[in-house]
Amino acid sequence: MTELQTLIGTVRIRNPIILSSGIWGSTYSTLNRAYKEGFGAVTTKSVGLNPRKGHPNPSVIYIPEIKSILNAVGLANPGYDAFSEELREINHEVKYSVSIFGSSSTEFQQIIQHMDNNLTGNTPIAYELNLSCPHAKKVGIAVGTDPNIVYTIVEACKVRTKVPIWVKLTPNITNIKSVAESAISAGADAIVAINTIKAMMIDIHIKKPVLGNISGGLSGQAIKPIGVRVIYDLYERFGSEIPLVGVGGISSWQDAIEYILAGATAIQIGSALIDYDAPQTLVHNILNGLNEYLSREGKSFSQLRGLAHE
Amino acid sequence: MTELQTLIGTVRIRNPIILSSGIWGSTYSTLNRAYKEGFGAVTTKSVGLNPRKGHPNPSVIYIPEIKSILNAVGLANPGYDAFSEELREINHEVKYSVSIFGSSSTEFQQIIQHMDNNLTGNTPIAYELNLSCPHAKKVGIAVGTDPNIVYTIVEACKVRTKVPIWVKLTPNITNIKSVAESAISAGADAIVAINTIKAMMIDIHIKKPVLGNISGGLSGQAIKPIGVRVIYDLYERFGSEIPLVGVGGISSWQDAIEYILAGATAIQIGSALIDYDAPQTLVHNILNGLNEYLSREGKSFSQLRGLAHE
Amino acid sequence: MNKQNRIEIPLCLTITDLVFEGEKTATFSFHLPANLELDPIPGQYFMLWLPGDDEIPISISQIENNEKIQFTICSKGQTSANFLRMNKGDLVGLRGPYGNGFDISDKEVAIIIAGGMGIAPLRFIISTLISRTQKKILLIHGARTHDELFFKEELNNTDIDIRYCTDDGSFGFHGFPTIILEEILQKAQQKNLSHEIYSCGPEKMLKGILDIVNQFNLEKNAQFSLADRYIRCGFGICGSCYLDGVGLSICRDGPVFRGDVLQKITDFGSFGRNANGSKYPL
Amino acid sequence: MNKQNRIEIPLCLTITDLVFEGEKTATFSFHLPANLELDPIPGQYFMLWLPGDDEIPISISQIENNEKIQFTICSKGQTSANFLRMNKGDLVGLRGPYGNGFDISDKEVAIIIAGGMGIAPLRFIISTLISRTQKKILLIHGARTHDELFFKEELNNTDIDIRYCTDDGSFGFHGFPTIILEEILQKAQQKNLSHEIYSCGPEKMLKGILDIVNQFNLEKNAQFSLADRYIRCGFGICGSCYLDGVGLSICRDGPVFRGDVLQKITDFGSFGRNANGSKYPL
Ligand SMILES: Cc1cc2nc3c(=O)[nH]c(=O)nc-3n(C[C@H](O)[C@H](O)[C@H](O)COP(=O)(O)OP(=O)(O)OC[C@H]3O[C@@H](n4cnc5c(N)ncnc54)[C@H](O)[C@@H]3O)c2cc1C
Ligand SMILES: Cc1cc2nc3c(=O)[nH]c(=O)nc-3n(C[C@H](O)[C@H](O)[C@H](O)COP(=O)(O)OP(=O)(O)OC[C@H]3O[C@@H](n4cnc5c(N)ncnc54)[C@H](O)[C@@H]3O)c2cc1C
Ligand SMILES: Cc1cc2nc3c(=O)[nH]c(=O)nc-3n(C[C@H](O)[C@H](O)[C@H](O)COP(=O)(O)O)c2cc1C
Ligand SMILES: Cc1cc2nc3c(=O)[nH]c(=O)nc-3n(C[C@H](O)[C@H](O)[C@H](O)COP(=O)(O)O)c2cc1C
Ligand code: FES
Ligand code: FES
């Protein structure tokens, strides 16, 4: 399937379907497996400075009626030090990006520097800055809705590493274009959107929020029309100036194409893995659907990007 | 069902289930019918200064997978003058509120003044200011995300009328609490939340946005966890200082109770009408469910509010 | 909710055939994917989306094997005119079927009254009655002029009784189909047969028919398709198409109503509402 | 996805019964609403939510008529200890059943090996084997001490063969159940019977069992329930419970694995991962 090779800035991946952060990607074995099962690239779980056990459970609830997931994992991770050891075990052919969260530009710098030093044997294709997690204090959305902070963080990361910097944005914002603009002018190599949408659920018998953290983020099919609009708006504003990675509710080849037509260069998939015993089926269905679509339309993959704007 | 009588500020309605704006409420006959079929109150379609035909079709699309609606009706309305004539035909027992949109405080004042004068026979229970429609230029969300503009508009309306002013807010915002705070300090009598969430859909064969307006707003079951969180956050911030009317994806008595436990004083229903041949079934199911729940729990309706915060 | 299968998100299909029935009217054919099993009922309609322009409600004019579906569109304004400029192979978005269709009923005689474009949905109930029942069928087919008596040839090839009329007398009876209906009902009173009346056409004509069936106390046996109003959502939510009186919608409660229900609709035959909701005289 | 019915959003049920099996272990009963038809498989687990505290994975200990469901919880840390402080009538949130359960298989003899709390899910497979098959069943039931041989009375009331063992020798054989297993398999080699092995207990013990069944080339006939790991989502999404090697999850691919699969799991029996994903030695 050479025709699905995708270029995200300077990064070439074998196909445009990427495993999104926080799904599977906590261990080297799942990252290896996901790549083996067909993803064009894989993203790690977001990693921060210190070990974090995350929020109490329930922290991940599936809502079948709307084929969506409500989660407040709370960025559980073993800290960048232990995690870089984990990532050293990733097979060399696997294209992976490391998702990072932090509360300040120095935190991001510190993590990136450490990763750069530790992962020399198998460099990630990108660092994906999680400026968008909606359910953790002082990080994620807390730093991702202020254009100035976004600028400072991205700039700080860019001076520290040659690895491309991708910036993952939140839809929980009045004007996503202005933070994207900051990120781009600070040198971001790609924009990833969207992270989950602030949401919660209350149990009417116990009369308490279900999530251990009270509130969390919604992902899955419910948010697809919201994610498509974000990508469309970003492409409308920035055109092909910056690669866009579309994420949110993608579960079929049609969904993937919708994002590409809206302006995405590539897409990520998370919640949809719930519907498949092996992601292999999901990824292959999407790749086959994409290929058939391209030959029906007589177009190359790169020609599809942003076509809905014409 | 006297026990479901609900007080929203000074407004007493026979039950807490209100028809939300833009569903049905374009004619006096549907408002009468909705009230007759059991709603505690009904809200009119949003009305503005001038007649507006709205956006080209498709403008309302049902998405069965997520039991949600994508719409960009574009505030179609006959203008306040013609609409006030329409509203004069509403039966006198019907409790209705008039939803109003505008681009400036003078526009809101002008409409309210005219309504006040024309509807003396059957005064509305409230004017609901639509500061939240996501798919019309210069109005709705365009005025509803800036705390200062919100303050000016609400204050201007309050000086013009004795009818309670309810303010309907958008979730397409970084910090909904700050606009709510503006509205409340300017004298708002209740906050209504949420309006639809910016969203869109692209047809992959035609490679164009499906909605005539390109982008629109998502409502229905997909947005329930998002709406519940907004009400929870507002109640967390304002407590019982201000009545809250919860809206977004409610389609069952369980959903209604979830909103009440989150902090809503009453709730509105829109998209769920699609699932019922007559809204009567829907409203009665909710009222019965509520009553049974209350007697199982040994509580009065007003005792339920905000219980999930304890 | 109606348990019938339905396309909700516009499904873009190529026009497989396009036949002009007259200068400003054409029938469009599409092939529905095999697995949909929509089983539409005569009188139901689809929303037809002309990308880049608008979406309009169009009755099902015919369907074969749940597969080949036809719509007959008459140019009335911007979008319908643009439809007539399309070609075989062009893409149109379809969603439907929507609304409440015609009842087949157990009456012995079916009287069908078509005015102008009203023949489109009636064509589908006629073929259905022929294939599924033994009823005697009588069609009163009116139009402004000879050229607008669409599907004449096709209908002449069936066994049904047809009475033509034109406003300008260019073919058949010179006058309105309501006059013929009145005559027929008068004669029918003498015979002991039960009648079901199916009608579609300009609302003014339907009003005339309602007045006549009322005289004969047949309002409960008369079905009317109101295909002359502004429709936006198609499923009863947006409020654009609600009728005055009891608050029924065209798009979901209709477009087919029985006469006894129509009587409660206070603006029937007198006012319509445009896209912004203001009333205009019909 | 598994087509089995499943509760995804915690369903809050009152504890209808609570029986202490030992000092730090109790069996909780709940009544499932009649219409759910969950049909759980032995070896599957539920996530049990203690509101205000946390949610933990607990194997199904028994279910009767798809209705009365039981869980046996042993106090190990904060949440499990708090469970033991609950009373009849208190509300607990349940979601499940999750995961991959035990296969019944067509082998003639079922050897069941329980270590400590591992008896809980095995109790369910035992009752299922008794009611649905004619197999000869042999249970090797081990615990640290006599008091922790839960369900002894209940199991003694069945027809199955039971061999007890305790670490401290306070009841039955003084030593690990693995020793008895080895003996039995040695004898079984002489007879011409086919065996299926079901086991649950501390991962170290399971590792010992795997080594033994390997010697007898029985790894494909041995099923292991790994009920000793951190679980968050229950449906394979969040990554918390994935095992090293081929990248299988406990929560969805497991908790029951066959021996040949377990061999590919590089951290089996040596390392676990806690809530933040870091490894700890078992
Ligand atoms: C249930 C239903 C079934 C229909 N079936 C058919 C059919 O099978 N074939 C067919 O040709 N037409 C049918 N129509 C009518 C068709 O939908 C309209 O002719 C079309 O929407 C007009 O759109 P336009 O953009 O071309 O006209 P516009 O530019 O919108 O309007 C042009 C003229 O048509 C009038 N008009 C506007 N909207 C409508 C409307 N919805 N209905 C009638 N007049 C309107 C205007 O008042 C104006 O005089 C049906 C309508 C309904 C409600
Ligand atoms: C599929 C599955 C089925 C299970 N079935 C049962 C059952 O039927 N009955 C039963 O009593 N227990 C069962 N468990 C174990 C039970 O889930 C844990 O004992 C419980 O989660 C510990 O929570 P805690 O808050 O009480 O302990 P914590 O305070 O979280 O930890 C206390 C101690 O337990 C260890 N621990 C933490 N998490 C786990 C864990 N998930 N499993 C084991 N040890 C852990 C810690 O390392 C620590 O030493 C099962 C576990 C799994 C994965
Ligand atoms: C359980 C879970 C955990 C997640 N953890 C992270 C995370 O650590 N970092 C991050 O950037 N996004 C995280 N996300 C968000 C996803 O990467 C993705 O942006 C979102 O789920 C929308 O995509 P989807 O609808 O395909 O799941 C998480 C999502 C889920 C469901
Ligand atoms: C077709 C449609 C039209 C709407 N029009 C309006 C409107 O005119 N004014 C307004 O304030 N909200 C409008 N809304 C938003 C609803 O009032 C409500 O806030 C939203 O749909 C969420 O509630 P629901 O999920 O119950 O539909 C509209 C919604 C729909 C689906
Ligand atoms: S067209 Fe929307 S209610 Fe009828
Ligand atoms: S607990 Fe989430 S993947 Fe297993």
Side-chain angles (χ1 to χ4, degrees):
Chain A
M1 302 199 182
T2 2
E3 63 276 27
L4 288 180
Q5 277 201 8
T6 303
L7 207 58
I8 306 172
T10 56
V11 176
R12 184 178 301 280
I13 56 180
R14 63 184 179 190
N15 73 57
I17 319 298
I18 304 172
L19 177 72
S20 78
S21 178
I23 282 78
W24 279 40
S26 307
T27 67
Y28 76 88
S29 301
T30 47
L31 293 164
N32 283 342
R33 177 176 165 202
Y35 194 76
K36 199 167 154 201
E37 297 208 7
F39 281 103
V42 295
T43 313
T44 71
K45 172 78 190 161
S46 294
V47 64
L49 212 53
N50 301 311
R52 237 176 122 111
K53 68 194 275 274
H55 299 308
N57 297 319
S59 60
V60 191
I61 294 291
Y62 181 58
I63 312 174
E65 283 75 20
I66 54 173
K67 304 190 180 75
S68 294
I69 291 175
L70 183 63
N71 98 81
V73 168
L75 298 173
N77 81 97
Y80 70 98
D81 204 352
F83 204 53
S84 69
E85 293 309 311
E86 184 83 32
L87 299 180
R88 286 164 68 92
E89 307 282 319
I90 292 179
N91 291 339
H92 279 210
E93 77 271 18
V94 175
K95 303 281 183 191
Y96 71 102
S97 58
V98 181
S99 173
I100 298 171
F101 70 92
S103 65
S104 67
S105 50
T106 39
E107 258 183 60
F108 277 98
Q109 283 184 321
Q110 188 175 342
I111 298 169
I112 283 181
Q113 192 134 10
H114 184 88
M115 291 285 169
D116 263 6
N117 294 339
N118 263 254
L119 302 174
T120 43
N122 187 14
T123 320
I125 58 168
Y127 294 120
E128 185 179 286
L129 311 187
N130 175 351
L131 306 182
S132 42
C133 176
H135 47 74
K137 290 218 174 77
K138 294 196 188 159
V139 297
I141 207 171
V143 296
T145 51
D146 181 328
N148 296 324
I149 303 181
V150 168
Y151 188 93
T152 317
I153 291 175
V154 175
E155 194 186 31
C157 295
K158 280 304 288 181
V159 302
R160 275 301 145 95
T161 184
K162 291 213 171 73
V163 173
I165 297 293
W166 296 1
V167 178
K168 185 164 174 191
L169 298 181
T170 176
N172 296 285
I173 189 167
T174 313
N175 181 2
I176 199 171
K177 283 177 273 189
S178 69
V179 281
E181 198 164 317
S182 285
I184 295 168
S185 53
D189 297 284
I191 300 291
V192 183
I194 56 181
N195 210 316
T196 58
I197 299 175
K198 279 195 219 166
M200 74 182 289
M201 179 184 280
I202 291 168
D203 183 89
I204 66 168
H205 297 292
I206 285 182
K207 304 185 200 69
K208 294 223 174 311
V210 173
L211 291 177
N213 185 51
I214 298 178
S215 141
L218 191 67
S219 61
Q221 294 193 28
I223 72 168
K224 194 194 67 175
I226 301 172
V228 169
R229 204 228 23 130
V230 168
I231 293 294
Y232 187 92
D233 277 8
L234 291 175
Y235 189 81
E236 190 74 12
R237 169 72 184 75
F238 301 106
S240 45
E241 191 185 321
I242 184 95
L244 299 172
V245 180
V247 50
I250 298 171
S251 70
S252 67
W253 60 268
Q254 291 92 336
D255 296 342
I257 293 171
E258 211 180 331
Y259 268 93
I260 304 293
L261 295 173
T265 316
I267 58 115
Q268 291 184 349
I269 293 186
S271 304
L273 263 64
I274 199 180
D275 271 332
Y276 285 82
D277 278 330
Q280 208 172 352
T281 328
L282 174 65
V283 179
H284 283 205
N285 284 350
I286 295 183
L287 295 179
N288 288 339
L290 252 169
N291 272 319
E292 280 171 27
Y293 179 84
L294 289 173
S295 60
R296 257 195 323 270
E297 298 282 336
K299 290 204 159 51
S300 76
F301 178 67
S302 62
Q303 286 173 328
L304 284 189
R305 183 180 184 200
L307 276 191
H309 294 258
E310 281 173 13
Chain B
M1 301 202 184
T2 0
E3 64 276 30
L4 288 180
Q5 276 199 10
T6 302
L7 206 59
I8 307 174
T10 57
V11 176
R12 185 178 299 279
I13 56 180
R14 63 184 178 187
N15 72 55
I17 320 297
I18 304 172
L19 177 71
S20 79
S21 178
I23 282 79
W24 277 43
S26 308
T27 68
Y28 75 89
S29 302
T30 46
L31 293 162
N32 284 341
R33 179 178 163 200
Y35 194 76
K36 199 166 155 200
E37 298 207 7
F39 281 103
V42 295
T43 313
T44 71
K45 172 78 191 162
S46 294
V47 63
L49 212 54
N50 302 309
R52 236 175 122 111
K53 67 194 274 276
H55 297 308
N57 296 318
S59 60
V60 192
I61 295 291
Y62 181 58
I63 312 175
E65 283 75 19
I66 54 172
K67 305 194 180 74
S68 295
I69 291 175
L70 182 64
N71 99 81
V73 168
L75 298 172
N77 81 96
Y80 71 98
D81 203 351
F83 203 54
S84 69
E85 292 309 311
E86 184 84 32
L87 299 180
R88 285 165 68 93
E89 306 281 321
I90 291 178
N91 291 340
H92 280 208
E93 78 270 17
V94 176
K95 303 280 183 195
Y96 71 102
S97 59
V98 181
S99 171
I100 298 172
F101 71 90
S103 65
S104 68
S105 52
T106 40
E107 259 185 58
F108 278 99
Q109 283 185 320
Q110 188 174 342
I111 298 169
I112 282 181
Q113 191 134 10
H114 183 89
M115 290 284 168
D116 264 5
N117 294 339
N118 262 253
L119 303 174
T120 42
N122 186 16
T123 319
I125 57 167
Y127 294 120
E128 185 179 288
L129 312 187
N130 174 352
L131 306 184
S132 43
C133 176
H135 48 73
K137 290 220 172 74
K138 291 193 190 161
V139 298
I141 207 173
V143 297
T145 50
D146 180 330
N148 296 324
I149 303 181
V150 168
Y151 188 94
T152 317
I153 291 174
V154 175
E155 192 186 34
C157 295
K158 282 302 291 180
V159 304
R160 276 302 146 92
T161 184
K162 294 214 170 70
V163 174
I165 296 292
W166 296 1
V167 178
K168 184 165 176 190
L169 297 182
T170 176
N172 296 283
I173 190 167
T174 313
N175 180 1
I176 199 169
K177 284 178 272 190
S178 71
V179 282
E181 197 164 319
S182 284
I184 295 167
S185 53
D189 297 284
I191 300 290
V192 183
I194 58 179
N195 209 316
T196 57
I197 299 175
K198 281 196 218 165
M200 72 182 291
M201 180 184 278
I202 292 168
D203 183 89
I204 64 167
H205 298 292
I206 286 181
K207 303 186 202 65
K208 294 219 174 315
V210 173
L211 291 176
N213 185 52
I214 296 177
S215 142
L218 191 68
S219 61
Q221 295 193 28
I223 72 168
K224 195 195 67 176
I226 301 172
V228 169
R229 205 232 18 135
V230 168
I231 291 296
Y232 187 92
D233 277 8
L234 292 174
Y235 188 81
E236 189 76 12
R237 169 72 184 75
F238 302 107
S240 47
E241 189 184 323
I242 184 95
L244 298 172
V245 180
V247 50
I250 297 169
S251 70
S252 67
W253 62 267
Q254 290 93 335
D255 296 342
I257 291 171
E258 210 181 330
Y259 268 93
I260 304 294
L261 295 173
T265 316
I267 57 114
Q268 292 185 347
I269 292 187
S271 304
L273 263 65
I274 200 181
D275 270 332
Y276 284 82
D277 279 332
Q280 206 172 349
T281 328
L282 173 64
V283 179
H284 283 206
N285 285 351
I286 295 182
L287 295 179
N288 288 340
L290 252 169
N291 273 321
E292 281 170 29
Y293 179 84
L294 288 173
S295 60
R296 256 196 322 270
E297 299 281 335
K299 292 205 155 55
S300 76
F301 178 68
S302 61
Q303 287 174 325
L304 284 189
R305 186 183 182 197
L307 276 191
H309 294 258
E310 281 170 15
Chain C
M1 190 160 47
N2 202 324
K3 291 283 168 283
Q4 187 181 19
N5 288 342
R6 191 200 268 175
I7 303 164
E8 296 286 2
I9 298 175
L11 175 68
C12 288
L13 298 176
T14 51
I15 301 170
T16 52
D17 208 6
L18 193 166
V19 177
F20 274 80
E21 310 288 349
E23 206 188 328
K24 300 175 93 186
T25 302
T27 297
F28 296 74
S29 302
F30 301 91
H31 263 86
L32 294 169
N35 55 347
L36 294 180
E37 294 179 26
L38 301 177
D39 294 311
I41 298 163
Q44 288 189 309
Y45 66 97
F46 273 67
M47 297 299 291
L48 262 53
W49 173 34
L50 206 164
D53 186 337
D54 211 319
E55 186 190 47
I56 56 175
I58 299 292
S59 306
I60 302 161
S61 165
Q62 196 57 273
I63 185 164
E64 280 168 28
N65 304 323
N66 241 330
E67 200 181 283
K68 184 186 169 189
I69 193 163
Q70 294 190 327
F71 301 96
T72 305
I73 302 180
C74 163
S75 164
K76 277 210 190 150
Q78 181 193 304
T79 310
S80 47
N82 283 336
F83 262 105
L84 295 198
R85 294 191 190 99
M86 302 209 78
N87 298 306
K88 220 167 121 163
D90 286 347
L91 284 168
V92 172
L94 279 76
R95 59 185 179 102
Y98 288 110
N100 174 35
F102 291 111
D103 270 353
I104 291 205
S105 101
D106 53 4
K107 302 294 175 292
E108 294 141 302
V109 184
I111 304 178
I112 318 252
I113 312 152
M117 269 308 301
I119 192 66
L122 295 171
R123 181 187 175 219
F124 181 16
I125 181 76
I126 290 169
S127 65
T128 306
L129 291 173
I130 291 174
S131 67
R132 295 211 204 143
T133 74
Q134 304 295 329
K135 281 188 210 309
K136 183 168 148 41
I137 301 172
L138 174 64
L139 166 66
I140 312 172
H141 190 175
R144 283 189 305 184
T145 180
H146 188 179
D147 289 350
E148 292 177 6
L149 290 166
F150 308 127
F151 306 111
K152 197 154 118 257
E153 214 170 319
E154 171 182 313
L155 294 163
N156 281 336
N157 280 332
T158 65
D159 288 342
I160 67 175
D161 243 343
I162 309 184
R163 304 281 297 269
Y164 290 106
C165 33
T166 49
D167 300 0
D168 65 359
S170 53
F171 191 81
F173 172 74
H174 186 167
F176 291 145
T178 38
I179 301 176
I180 301 191
L181 174 69
E182 205 163 358
E183 265 174 31
I184 291 173
L185 290 178
Q186 245 141 19
K187 284 190 203 140
Q189 274 193 312
Q190 284 127 40
K191 305 187 196 154
N192 221 351
L193 290 171
S194 64
H195 290 75
E196 188 79 21
I197 295 148
Y198 299 89
S199 60
C200 185
E203 210 168 298
K204 283 279 182 207
M205 174 186 111
L206 299 185
K207 183 77 169 77
I209 296 172
L210 180 61
D211 291 343
I212 292 165
V213 297
N214 265 338
Q215 289 166 30
F216 294 89
N217 293 320
L218 280 173
E219 65 278 8
K220 288 193 177 154
N221 303 330
Q223 304 179 39
F224 300 79
S225 171
L226 272 61
D228 221 14
R229 295 271 192 151
Y230 181 77
I231 304 268
R232 191 188 283 281
C233 67
F235 40 79
I237 280 284
C238 76
S240 302
C241 73
Y242 277 82
L243 296 157
D244 282 354
V246 281
L248 294 170
S249 66
I250 301 260
C251 73
R252 176 174 178 158
D253 301 315
V256 176
F257 295 101
R258 287 192 176 267
D260 53 336
V261 175
L262 270 193
Q263 278 168 352
K264 298 182 203 151
I265 292 173
T266 53
D267 56 355
F268 172 60
S270 54
F271 285 95
R273 285 182 193 263
N274 62 25
N276 70 34
S278 31
K279 292 188 174 192
Y280 60 86
L282 284 175
Chain D
M1 188 156 50
N2 203 325
K3 290 284 166 285
Q4 185 181 20
N5 287 342
R6 190 201 270 174
I7 303 165
E8 296 285 3
I9 297 174
L11 176 67
C12 287
L13 297 176
T14 51
I15 299 168
T16 53
D17 208 4
L18 193 165
V19 177
F20 273 79
E21 311 289 349
E23 206 187 328
K24 300 176 95 187
T25 303
T27 297
F28 296 74
S29 301
F30 301 91
H31 263 88
L32 293 169
N35 54 349
L36 292 181
E37 296 179 25
L38 300 178
D39 294 311
I41 297 161
Q44 288 190 310
Y45 65 99
F46 273 66
M47 296 300 292
L48 261 55
W49 173 36
L50 205 165
D53 187 338
D54 212 319
E55 188 189 46
I56 56 174
I58 299 291
S59 305
I60 302 162
S61 163
Q62 197 57 275
I63 185 164
E64 281 168 26
N65 304 324
N66 240 330
E67 201 181 280
K68 183 183 170 194
I69 192 163
Q70 294 189 328
F71 302 94
T72 305
I73 302 180
C74 164
S75 165
K76 281 213 189 146
Q78 182 191 302
T79 311
S80 47
N82 283 335
F83 262 104
L84 294 199
R85 294 191 188 100
M86 304 211 75
N87 296 306
K88 222 168 121 164
D90 286 346
L91 285 168
V92 172
L94 281 74
R95 60 185 177 101
Y98 288 110
N100 174 35
F102 290 111
D103 270 353
I104 293 207
S105 98
D106 52 4
K107 302 293 174 294
E108 292 141 300
V109 183
I111 303 178
I112 318 251
I113 311 152
M117 269 308 300
I119 191 66
L122 294 172
R123 177 184 179 222
F124 182 17
I125 181 75
I126 290 169
S127 65
T128 306
L129 291 173
I130 292 175
S131 67
R132 294 209 204 142
T133 72
Q134 303 295 330
K135 282 188 209 312
K136 179 167 154 39
I137 302 172
L138 173 64
L139 167 65
I140 312 171
H141 190 176
R144 284 189 305 185
T145 179
H146 188 180
D147 288 351
E148 292 178 7
L149 288 168
F150 309 127
F151 306 113
K152 196 155 114 255
E153 210 168 325
E154 172 183 313
L155 294 163
N156 280 336
N157 280 331
T158 64
D159 289 340
I160 67 176
D161 243 341
I162 309 184
R163 304 283 296 273
Y164 290 105
C165 33
T166 49
D167 300 359
D168 64 0
S170 54
F171 192 81
F173 174 74
H174 185 165
F176 293 145
T178 37
I179 301 175
I180 302 191
L181 174 68
E182 208 164 356
E183 267 173 32
I184 290 173
L185 290 179
Q186 247 143 15
K187 284 189 204 143
Q189 273 191 315
Q190 287 128 36
K191 304 187 195 155
N192 221 349
L193 290 171
S194 63
H195 290 76
E196 188 79 21
I197 296 149
Y198 299 87
S199 60
C200 186
E203 212 169 298
K204 283 280 182 207
M205 173 185 113
L206 299 185
K207 183 76 170 72
I209 296 173
L210 180 60
D211 290 343
I212 293 166
V213 297
N214 266 339
Q215 291 166 25
F216 294 89
N217 292 320
L218 280 173
E219 65 277 9
K220 288 195 178 152
N221 302 332
Q223 305 179 38
F224 300 80
S225 173
L226 272 61
D228 220 14
R229 295 273 190 151
Y230 181 77
I231 303 267
R232 192 189 282 281
C233 67
F235 40 78
I237 279 285
C238 76
S240 303
C241 73
Y242 277 83
L243 297 157
D244 282 354
V246 282
L248 293 170
S249 65
I250 301 262
C251 74
R252 177 174 178 159
D253 301 315
V256 176
F257 295 99
R258 287 193 174 264
D260 52 337
V261 175
L262 269 194
Q263 280 168 348
K264 299 182 201 148
I265 294 174
T266 53
D267 56 356
F268 172 61
S270 54
F271 286 93
R273 284 181 192 264
N274 63 21
N276 69 34
S278 31
K279 291 189 177 192
Y280 60 85
L282 283 177

